Amino acid sequence: MTVATVVLAVVVAALSLALVASVILARRRAAIDRAALARLTAENHALRERCDAAHATAELRARMVAHVSHELRTPMQAIMSLLALLDEHGLPLEQRRQHLSTLRGSTEDLLLLIDGLLDTAQIEGKRPSLRADDFSPRATLEQLVDLLGPSAHKRGLELRAALAPDLPPRLRGDRLRLRQIVINLIGNSIKFTRQGHVELRVAARVEDEVAHLQVEVSDTGVGMSPEALGRLFREFARVGDPSVEGTGLGLSISKQLVEALGGRLEVDSDPGVGTTFRFEVRMPLLAALPAEQAAAADNRPRVLVADDDSAGRELLATALRRSGYAVDGVADGAAAVASALARPYVAVILDVQLPELDGPDAARQIRDVRGDVALIALTGHTEIDVLGRCKGAGIDAILIKPVKLETLRATIVRVAAQRTQPVDLAVIRGYVTAEDPAFVPGLIDVYLREAERDLEAMEEAAAGQEIARVAQLAHRLKGSSAGFGARLLAERCQSLYAAARAEQPVSHELAALAREFGRVKSALSAERTRLISSSS
């Protein structure tokens, strides 16, 4: 091997080693670069996650602030409304006390919200914590109507309330959340209603000691399209007039609260017609408190005022309360009938032109069941046909508007006294003589025996379609009843006689006559016992 060959081999070997070293170095550098890239990627990912978390936290805080702000505004609105009412000059002391009591309750609600701020918001889980309060649903809802009424009136709207007369006296549940939901719904309706009314309707169905509270809020506002309804309950969504102030949270919060209470918030709406929100929640029944039991046993006579004019209705109610009456108010004829048949009113005051059922039709349904309640009509009409309809419906007195309050009070006293007593005992006592103390008790025996026989004969004749016989017997019983001071029973006999003569169905008239005779029999039997005792 020559020297040249050896040198060439050495050079080739050196070049090979250099190439291998270069490859190894390149690989090491690539590995280092990959590791650096991996670290950089991981760091970027971590930074991105922290950035996203920061954005989520900021968004959560913004939503929480908006949510809490909305919740705090609910009792604050109540407080501001009450302060405005208290600032009115000439407000009666009784109303001031009522407003102060409600104001105290609103401030307590505000404290509850503040004390449980983090717990009640719980936006992330969208499951607000609930309280278990013992409360009166009627008192709670009536306070809300009183609070929000001025806001509605300021916009030229009427805020109506139709609370079923058979609402349970006490429930156990989250009163604060129920208030929030109803205030949000009524407030929303007031915002988007330019004319007409907003109405709160509440009823209850009781099953196994649990009340299913059914709540509706309806309005005559702008309404919504189907597309708008699809976005209605989204947070921060604004549906409807963009000029109306709001955060877009009220309905979203209401939906969450209804669902937290175990219900579902539903809505029906027609553009240009109006919107109705409804939900149903379940709450256990509770026994009435002693104070409520005392109120239920209140000896004050109770009066029902039915008038669709809320201002006029409240004026009458306030005047009658000052006169010593307990007063309830309703806005339509159907509610008047339901309430009159559920509570022991001494008098029902009916405006002739009522929605649902007008005054005479409502009076007729009440009179079919109750003969002991005074029915008084208020009307601005003096037409003979209107007055005739009122008399034919069993209305005791018709007062032409405007009515002096003194006249109304005197009419209630007079008519209620006539209706409360099934028998004018002064009539029967006028027959009493010292010479024959057994004479009147004997008369009572004869009258009751013959009246019972006539009533049984009328029922048999009606069953056999002997209408002429029914009319004959009713006419006879009318005369004898009037002679014993049973004026209301005589009226029932006259109504039955008129129906039979006109060959109209007599079952309702006959049933009403039988009920009234039961009252007369009890009163005369008690008087007979008293007369016998006093003569012995």
Side-chain angles (χ1 to χ4, degrees):
M1 179 179 297
T2 65
V3 174
T5 302
V6 172
V7 172
L8 180 60
V10 171
V11 170
V12 170
L15 291 172
S16 297
L17 289 174
L19 180 60
V20 170
S22 176
V23 170
I24 293 173
L25 182 61
R27 288 178 177 174
R28 286 180 179 175
R29 287 177 178 172
I32 293 172
D33 290 343
R34 285 196 298 271
L37 181 61
R39 285 195 301 272
L40 182 60
T41 301
E43 290 175 358
N44 287 339
H45 183 70
L47 286 173
R48 190 177 297 110
E49 286 185 341
R50 286 196 291 270
C51 184
D52 290 342
H55 282 302
T57 301
E59 182 181 353
L60 179 61
R61 286 176 179 171
R63 293 169 61 200
M64 179 176 289
V65 168
H67 185 97
V68 170
S69 172
H70 191 281
E71 290 207 349
L72 292 178
R73 287 175 183 275
T74 296
M76 282 301 299
Q77 176 62 53
I79 292 170
M80 292 175 65
S81 297
L82 284 165
L83 289 174
L85 289 173
L86 287 169
D87 196 39
E88 292 182 2
H89 297 293
L91 194 67
L93 180 59
E94 179 184 355
Q95 289 189 20
R96 284 186 178 275
R97 288 174 175 168
Q98 291 175 352
H99 292 335
L100 285 172
S101 175
T102 308
L103 181 61
R104 187 178 299 110
S106 295
T107 56
E108 290 172 356
D109 289 346
L110 185 58
L111 270 178
L112 287 173
L113 280 174
I114 294 173
D115 289 342
L117 191 57
L118 294 177
D119 185 45
T120 56
Q122 294 187 8
I123 300 279
E124 187 172 10
K126 295 191 176 182
R127 192 71 179 179
S129 64
L130 301 177
R131 297 168 49 83
D133 304 315
D134 299 347
F135 70 100
S136 163
R138 180 177 299 278
T140 298
L141 296 167
E142 286 178 344
Q143 283 182 357
L144 299 187
V145 174
D146 290 340
L147 288 173
L148 298 173
S151 297
H153 296 157
K154 188 176 180 181
R155 296 174 63 92
L157 305 174
E158 179 185 3
L159 179 56
R160 300 176 179 176
L163 308 183
D166 57 350
L167 284 181
R170 293 199 71 76
L171 297 176
R172 183 166 183 79
D174 197 325
R175 178 189 64 87
L176 180 61
R177 296 307 185 185
L178 180 64
R179 277 173 53 95
Q180 283 182 278
I181 295 166
V182 177
I183 287 177
N184 285 352
L185 296 180
I186 293 178
N188 185 79
S189 288
I190 290 174
K191 284 181 186 178
F192 291 98
T193 302
R194 297 189 180 94
Q195 61 182 3
H197 67 267
V198 175
E199 183 171 17
L200 169 67
R201 293 187 293 271
V202 184
R205 185 181 77 257
V206 177
E207 296 178 358
D208 300 326
E209 298 302 310
V210 174
H212 297 250
L213 204 62
Q214 301 158 338
V215 182
E216 284 192 3
V217 175
S218 62
D219 61 57
T220 55
V222 296
M224 290 172 282
S225 65
E227 186 275 332
L229 286 176
R231 298 183 287 111
L232 187 61
F233 296 117
R234 297 177 188 172
E235 289 181 346
F236 306 107
R238 301 295 308 282
V239 176
D241 188 348
S243 66
V244 177
E245 293 183 0
T247 62
L249 270 173
L251 295 178
S252 172
I253 292 172
S254 297
K255 180 175 182 291
Q256 293 177 34
L257 294 179
V258 169
E259 291 173 351
L261 292 173
R264 179 182 177 184
L265 183 58
E266 299 177 338
V267 58
D268 295 325
S269 187
D270 290 320
V273 176
T275 301
T276 297
F277 291 92
R278 65 176 60 87
F279 65 91
E280 178 179 308
V281 293
R282 297 187 300 168
M283 294 183 179
L285 294 176
L286 288 177
L289 294 176
E292 291 171 330
Q293 293 171 342
D298 194 344
N299 290 326
R300 292 182 302 164
R302 183 170 290 277
V303 174
L304 176 66
V305 177
D307 195 333
D308 59 339
D309 177 9
S310 58
R313 183 174 67 242
E314 188 56 35
L315 280 174
L316 286 178
T318 300
L320 291 173
R321 289 187 186 107
R322 292 178 184 175
S323 300
Y325 291 98
V327 184
D328 294 332
V330 294
D332 61 73
V337 173
S339 191
L341 300 185
R343 306 196 73 174
Y345 297 107
V346 298
V348 176
I349 301 169
L350 297 161
D351 188 77
V352 169
Q353 290 186 319
L354 287 172
E356 302 293 337
L357 285 173
D358 67 8
D361 286 342
R364 186 173 288 105
Q365 293 191 21
I366 295 169
R367 188 61 80 214
D368 280 346
V369 179
R370 293 193 57 184
D372 61 329
V373 62
L375 298 180
I376 300 170
L378 298 181
T379 180
H381 297 281
T382 57
E383 291 87 348
I384 297 298
D385 59 336
V386 173
L387 303 182
R389 283 190 65 220
C390 290
K391 283 296 185 183
I395 289 175
D396 298 288
I398 305 168
L399 300 179
I400 307 299
K401 297 179 181 179
V403 180
K404 291 184 179 180
L405 294 177
E406 294 80 3
T407 302
L408 176 61
R409 287 192 287 258
T411 303
I412 292 174
V413 171
R414 174 178 59 82
V415 179
Q418 295 172 350
R419 283 286 172 184
T420 303
Q421 297 299 326
V423 176
D424 184 355
L425 295 178
V427 174
I428 196 70
R429 290 170 184 173
Y431 300 137
V432 176
T433 63
E435 294 78 12
D436 189 0
F439 175 67
V440 172
L443 277 180
I444 293 174
D445 283 339
V446 172
Y447 166 75
L448 291 178
R449 185 167 56 250
E450 292 183 351
E452 287 181 333
R453 185 168 58 246
D454 285 347
L455 187 57
E456 291 175 359
M458 278 187 275
E459 291 173 344
E460 291 177 0
Q465 297 297 313
E466 300 177 46
I467 303 302
R469 176 65 173 161
V470 173
Q472 178 190 9
L473 292 167
H475 189 269
R476 185 170 73 182
L477 183 56
K478 171 190 173 184
S480 60
S481 299
F484 270 78
R487 183 180 67 84
L488 302 181
L489 181 57
E491 288 182 4
R492 288 296 187 189
C493 291
Q494 175 59 32
S495 297
L496 178 60
Y497 173 79
R501 291 282 292 176
E503 297 185 352
Q504 296 175 348
V506 297
S507 57
H508 285 300
E509 297 291 347
L510 189 55
L513 189 153
R515 285 192 296 269
E516 184 60 28
F517 175 71
R519 296 202 317 134
V520 169
K521 181 179 179 180
S522 297
L524 287 178
S525 297
E527 180 66 7
R528 177 184 180 279
T529 301
R530 190 194 68 80
L531 290 172
I532 292 174
S533 299
S534 63
S535 63
S536 60

